[in-house]
Amino acid sequence: MGLGIMSLSAFLITLVTGVLLMCYYKPSTAVAYESIKDIHFVVPTGRFVRNIHRWAANVMVVAVILHMA
């Protein structure tokens, strides 16, 4: 049960931070890299939100694999 709650929590964190990042990301091939750099260096707490999003996604993958095992 603990791994299921961990998976759900990581999913919800990834969902919330993904929506926040979606407000600033531009998916065009011409400006995608620049928008990531802007999120990382210009947007207040952008680096923090992006790192939380990345870590929560990694934790979710590991927790789901362990939960299924």
Side-chain angles (χ1 to χ4, degrees), residues 19-32:
V19 169
L20 291 174
L21 290 171
M22 185 177 63
C23 295
Y24 292 101
Y25 180 69
K26 296 173 191 75
S28 169
T29 56
V31 294

Side-chain angles (χ1 to χ4, degrees), residues 1-33:
M1 185 158 157
L3 289 171
I5 292 172
M6 184 187 297
S7 301
L8 179 65
S9 299
F11 171 73
L12 293 176
I13 291 170
T14 305
L15 182 72
V16 170
T17 57
V19 169
L20 291 174
L21 290 171
M22 185 177 63
C23 295
Y24 292 101
Y25 180 69
K26 296 173 191 75
S28 169
T29 56
V31 294
Y33 181 70

Side-chain angles (χ1 to χ4, degrees), residues 50-68:
R50 189 166 177 246
N51 284 329
I52 292 294
H53 182 76
R54 182 174 55 96
W55 278 104
N58 289 333
V59 166
M60 182 177 61
V61 169
V62 170
V64 166
I65 289 171
L66 290 174
H67 185 66
M68 289 189 308

